Amino acid sequence: MTDDRKAIVPVWTLATGDVQVPALAGDEPMTAERLAELRSVLAALADQPIATLEVHPLPDKLDRSRGIPLDAVSPLAQHLSQLITQSARTSSAAATATAVGEGLYRMVVPAKVAAQFGQGIVRPMASKGAAGDIYGALVNSTGRIVDQATFMPVGKAAAAGAVGGAGATAGVAVAGSAALTVAAPLVLMAVAVGVSANADSKRQQAIEHITELLEQLHEQKLEDEHSELDGCRDAIDKATAILLDQGKLGVSLGLDSAVHAINTALGAADRRLAQWRSALDKLPDGEAVEIGTLAKSFPGIDDHGGTFRTHLELAALAIALKRRVVVLQAVEHAQIDPGNLFENFARVLKADQQRLDTLESSISGVLKRLSALELARPQGLRPVFTTGEVDRLMRAANRIRKLGDGVMANSRTTDVAIEIARDKDGSVVVFPALPA
């Protein structure tokens, strides 16, 4: 992507229902700051969820393996193509930006709307590169482009069509909002695929960690637990593909068995969480704790791997898989009742996310408590400890303190960005949803 100070970026304002809001955008170009303000104001004033959609040049290097690919006849790809075609007829900026047929589309859903999906569903996923990096198609490029680009509102464009094949036809919102396009199916499908991709990214990360830990432990019971969870992926992937292509889920997919395995793993995580909390509650307040005492309730906590860390990763895997299943259920409900697509989707998603958010935040609370503990010197008859014993204590203290590093300090919902790479043949790849 180029560092062009005169870059013109078309931006659509997409509503998920026929709403009336003041004509805030108009037809004049705007800055990135003005666009962010507009999103916030529209989210506050409109009764229906409103998102913005930008189109940028497609980067030369793009890791498509992180996203979910959809062919040109999939609902999301068709809705996007229709929006592009309609917009090109009425907007020269949109026609110029979309003329090549390919591009990187960035949909931003305001925090007010994102809160309907659950507090913990969209979070940054740590990169294997430099510390602090996050995965994202526009990372290290968006900052330059957005800061220096001019955003041109695109109005009077309709993306006709609906999820499920009936109802929810898109169009232009009424009175006072000429640049507001009603495109519930497009927003719904983009959010659904982006959230699903985000959960799958977390699943992949958890799988990598578990595999590494189990190679050190050689514990058959944990191996079996891991295998059963990882075996759910095939059914979930097939169900995702079918639903995103407007198909119907059948018993032959094995999704029911997968859900049972995931729920069983979540039950195990709940039980382990209760044991961890109980063990921490029994520790004397304000006193240093011996590593041996801590290891009885948190086996292997002082090692690089250990059973406790494997239990943490198994819980993370179960949560990630469950989040994908919840998205599937939400999409299915929305397709059953296409008259109120987004409302059904948000309602189902939020209700089921609450348990997952609570479990995830409770595990984070345990890690914070552990990381704040002070380790005591081992009790013994000898007044002097060997160099090896001192080194072990220092390593253990450092590892335990780092348990709190990966905990999200602030779970406040932010704007959510979903990036969609579109190729010339109309096919798309949707990347994991990330905080905007």
Side-chain angles (χ1 to χ4, degrees), residues 11-75:
V11 55
W12 293 263
T13 308
L14 307 179
T16 59
D18 195 1
V19 296
Q20 293 187 11
V21 294
L24 301 170
D27 298 323
E28 297 299 319
M30 67 182 80
T31 63
E33 292 77 10
R34 173 59 178 161
L35 178 60
E37 292 174 359
L38 175 65
R39 273 197 299 263
S40 299
V41 172
L42 288 175
L45 295 179
D47 295 330
Q48 301 289 337
I50 292 179
T52 58
L53 179 69
E54 313 155 14
V55 56
H56 299 265
L58 195 64
D60 295 332
K61 295 181 180 180
L62 197 59
D63 182 9
R64 295 169 182 261
S65 64
R66 299 181 296 102
I68 294 179
L70 300 172
D71 59 35
V73 298
S74 65

Side-chain angles (χ1 to χ4, degrees), residues 268-349:
D270 279 326
R271 291 191 299 274
R272 288 164 181 161
L273 174 62
Q275 293 170 356
W276 297 336
R277 283 175 157 177
S278 177
L280 287 171
D281 291 340
K282 291 177 182 178
L283 296 177
D285 292 335
E287 296 184 17
V289 183
E290 281 191 54
I291 188 62
T293 301
L294 202 58
K296 290 179 181 178
S297 301
F298 305 91
I301 191 173
D302 57 330
D303 294 328
H304 175 66
T307 302
F308 172 63
R309 295 173 194 270
T310 306
H311 285 165
L312 289 175
E313 294 299 338
L314 285 170
L317 176 57
I319 290 172
L321 289 171
K322 184 65 174 181
R323 288 200 190 280
R324 286 200 69 185
V325 170
V326 170
V327 173
L328 292 178
Q329 293 170 335
V331 173
E332 188 175 25
H333 276 75
Q335 292 186 17
I336 291 173
D337 185 6
N340 61 340
L341 283 171
F342 208 88
E343 290 85 349
N344 268 342
F345 176 78
R347 183 165 53 252
V348 174
L349 195 59

Side-chain angles (χ1 to χ4, degrees), residues 53-54 56 59 62 66-68 76 103-108 135-139 142 190 193-194 197 416-422 428-436:
L53 179 69
E54 313 155 14
H56 299 265
L62 197 59
R66 299 181 296 102
I68 294 179
L76 173 57
L104 189 61
Y105 292 78
R106 188 170 190 261
M107 181 179 292
V108 179
Y135 286 108
L138 295 179
V139 168
T142 303
V193 185
V416 173
I418 301 160
E419 294 162 2
I420 306 170
R422 183 179 188 268
V428 297
V429 176
V430 184
F431 295 96
L434 293 170

Side-chain angles (χ1 to χ4, degrees), residues 178-338:
L180 201 60
T181 302
V182 181
L186 177 59
V187 178
L188 166 67
M189 297 305 288
V191 171
V193 185
V195 168
S196 184
N198 178 277
D200 193 55
S201 295
K202 294 179 180 179
R203 178 198 64 81
Q204 294 179 29
Q205 192 176 48
I207 286 288
E208 292 175 1
H209 292 164
I210 294 170
T211 301
E212 179 183 351
L213 293 170
L214 289 178
E215 287 176 353
Q216 304 170 24
L217 284 176
H218 303 290
E219 289 196 14
Q220 188 60 46
K221 185 177 180 181
L222 293 178
E223 286 272 9
D224 294 341
E225 194 173 334
H226 171 227
S227 298
E228 188 170 7
L229 271 178
D230 197 29
C232 300
R233 183 185 63 175
D234 185 59
I236 294 175
D237 287 346
K238 289 178 181 177
T240 301
I242 289 174
L243 270 182
L244 296 180
D245 285 337
Q246 295 185 349
K248 299 293 183 181
L249 297 181
V251 179
S252 61
L253 285 176
L255 191 59
D256 289 345
S257 299
V259 171
H260 174 72
I262 294 169
N263 288 339
T264 300
L266 289 173
D270 279 326
R271 291 191 299 274
R272 288 164 181 161
L273 174 62
Q275 293 170 356
W276 297 336
R277 283 175 157 177
S278 177
L280 287 171
D281 291 340
K282 291 177 182 178
L283 296 177
D285 292 335
E287 296 184 17
V289 183
E290 281 191 54
I291 188 62
T293 301
L294 202 58
K296 290 179 181 178
S297 301
F298 305 91
I301 191 173
D302 57 330
D303 294 328
H304 175 66
T307 302
F308 172 63
R309 295 173 194 270
T310 306
H311 285 165
L312 289 175
E313 294 299 338
L314 285 170
L317 176 57
I319 290 172
L321 289 171
K322 184 65 174 181
R323 288 200 190 280
R324 286 200 69 185
V325 170
V326 170
V327 173
L328 292 178
Q329 293 170 335
V331 173
E332 188 175 25
H333 276 75
Q335 292 186 17
I336 291 173
D337 185 6

